[in-house]
Amino acid sequence: MADNARAKKLADLIREVVAQKLQRGVKDPRLGTHVTITDTRVTGDLREATVFYTVYGDDEDRASAAAGLESAKGILRSAVGAAAGTKFTPTLTFVADALPENAKTIEDLLDRARASDAKVRETSSGAKYAGEADPYRKPGGNEDDEDAAAE
């Protein structure tokens, strides 16, 4: 078993090598410049690496980018092996990152909360207190209140 620091270093190296290779070395038109490597995780035994990526575009672009990454997996693994210099080059698994969808969901929830807050603010704009504005007794206040308390 490798320590976590070594796995983290290897994960960072894999992320950089794969991103550079996708940008300059792979000639697949399906990958283009709209594929972004967001994160990489390596197992504790340094045998498997999961590479998370995002694709800017529609579902068709995402599907073609996934197919392009699967076809370029061997080239990318060779580049990682040459850069890492380890005894065993980890196998690469590409996973579409759910970050954009999660961010959109959070933005939608925040928009709903803002709309709800605006509705409450609009409803309460002309509202008045049910009693007095300050319902607490103050020392040296009304004498009528003191007389009522004494009875």
mmCIF file of all heavy atoms in Angstrom, residues 19-27:
data_model
loop_
_atom_site.group_PDB
_atom_site.id
_atom_site.type_symbol
_atom_site.label_atom_id
_atom_site.label_comp_id
_atom_site.label_asym_id
_atom_site.label_seq_id
_atom_site.Cartn_x
_atom_site.Cartn_y
_atom_site.Cartn_z
ATOM 1 N N ALA A 19 -4.561 16.265 -19.137
ATOM 2 C CA ALA A 19 -5.034 17.545 -19.661
ATOM 3 C C ALA A 19 -4.117 18.071 -20.762
ATOM 4 O O ALA A 19 -4.599 18.530 -21.806
ATOM 5 C CB ALA A 19 -5.145 18.567 -18.527
ATOM 6 N N GLN A 20 -2.809 17.985 -20.549
ATOM 7 C CA GLN A 20 -1.873 18.451 -21.574
ATOM 8 C C GLN A 20 -1.953 17.598 -22.833
ATOM 9 O O GLN A 20 -1.914 18.113 -23.946
ATOM 10 C CB GLN A 20 -0.445 18.452 -21.027
ATOM 11 C CG GLN A 20 -0.178 19.552 -20.040
ATOM 12 C CD GLN A 20 1.219 19.459 -19.444
ATOM 13 O OE1 GLN A 20 1.976 18.537 -19.733
ATOM 14 N NE2 GLN A 20 1.550 20.426 -18.599
ATOM 15 N N LYS A 21 -2.068 16.291 -22.647
ATOM 16 C CA LYS A 21 -2.133 15.395 -23.799
ATOM 17 C C LYS A 21 -3.416 15.618 -24.594
ATOM 18 O O LYS A 21 -3.405 15.571 -25.823
ATOM 19 C CB LYS A 21 -2.025 13.943 -23.322
ATOM 20 C CG LYS A 21 -1.763 12.960 -24.417
ATOM 21 C CD LYS A 21 -0.359 13.121 -24.951
ATOM 22 C CE LYS A 21 -0.065 12.009 -25.924
ATOM 23 N NZ LYS A 21 1.205 12.189 -26.610
ATOM 24 N N LEU A 22 -4.514 15.870 -23.891
ATOM 25 C CA LEU A 22 -5.771 16.145 -24.593
ATOM 26 C C LEU A 22 -5.686 17.457 -25.361
ATOM 27 O O LEU A 22 -6.241 17.583 -26.455
ATOM 28 C CB LEU A 22 -6.935 16.211 -23.608
ATOM 29 C CG LEU A 22 -7.443 14.890 -23.063
ATOM 30 C CD1 LEU A 22 -8.532 15.128 -22.023
ATOM 31 C CD2 LEU A 22 -7.975 14.001 -24.172
ATOM 32 N N GLN A 23 -4.986 18.418 -24.800
ATOM 33 C CA GLN A 23 -4.883 19.719 -25.441
ATOM 34 C C GLN A 23 -3.947 19.689 -26.646
ATOM 35 O O GLN A 23 -4.235 20.297 -27.676
ATOM 36 C CB GLN A 23 -4.390 20.751 -24.437
ATOM 37 C CG GLN A 23 -4.431 22.163 -24.942
ATOM 38 C CD GLN A 23 -4.007 23.144 -23.874
ATOM 39 O OE1 GLN A 23 -3.293 22.794 -22.937
ATOM 40 N NE2 GLN A 23 -4.446 24.373 -24.003
ATOM 41 N N ARG A 24 -2.833 18.948 -26.536
ATOM 42 C CA ARG A 24 -1.819 19.012 -27.590
ATOM 43 C C ARG A 24 -1.579 17.719 -28.342
ATOM 44 O O ARG A 24 -1.210 17.754 -29.500
ATOM 45 C CB ARG A 24 -0.496 19.450 -26.969
ATOM 46 C CG ARG A 24 -0.538 20.831 -26.422
ATOM 47 C CD ARG A 24 0.841 21.328 -26.059
ATOM 48 N NE ARG A 24 0.730 22.574 -25.340
ATOM 49 C CZ ARG A 24 0.921 22.722 -24.054
ATOM 50 N NH1 ARG A 24 1.257 21.681 -23.326
ATOM 51 N NH2 ARG A 24 0.793 23.895 -23.484
ATOM 52 N N GLY A 25 -1.757 16.570 -27.703
ATOM 53 C CA GLY A 25 -1.291 15.338 -28.316
ATOM 54 C C GLY A 25 -2.336 14.490 -29.007
ATOM 55 O O GLY A 25 -2.016 13.755 -29.930
ATOM 56 N N VAL A 26 -3.584 14.570 -28.595
ATOM 57 C CA VAL A 26 -4.620 13.729 -29.171
ATOM 58 C C VAL A 26 -5.304 14.499 -30.291
ATOM 59 O O VAL A 26 -5.784 15.611 -30.093
ATOM 60 C CB VAL A 26 -5.648 13.308 -28.089
ATOM 61 C CG1 VAL A 26 -6.748 12.475 -28.694
ATOM 62 C CG2 VAL A 26 -4.957 12.554 -26.979
ATOM 63 N N LYS A 27 -5.353 13.880 -31.468
ATOM 64 C CA LYS A 27 -5.891 14.562 -32.644
ATOM 65 C C LYS A 27 -7.368 14.224 -32.893
ATOM 66 O O LYS A 27 -7.886 14.485 -33.949
ATOM 67 C CB LYS A 27 -5.083 14.161 -33.887
ATOM 68 C CG LYS A 27 -3.618 14.450 -33.782
ATOM 69 C CD LYS A 27 -3.358 15.927 -33.804
ATOM 70 C CE LYS A 27 -1.876 16.181 -33.884
ATOM 71 N NZ LYS A 27 -1.404 17.178 -32.993
#
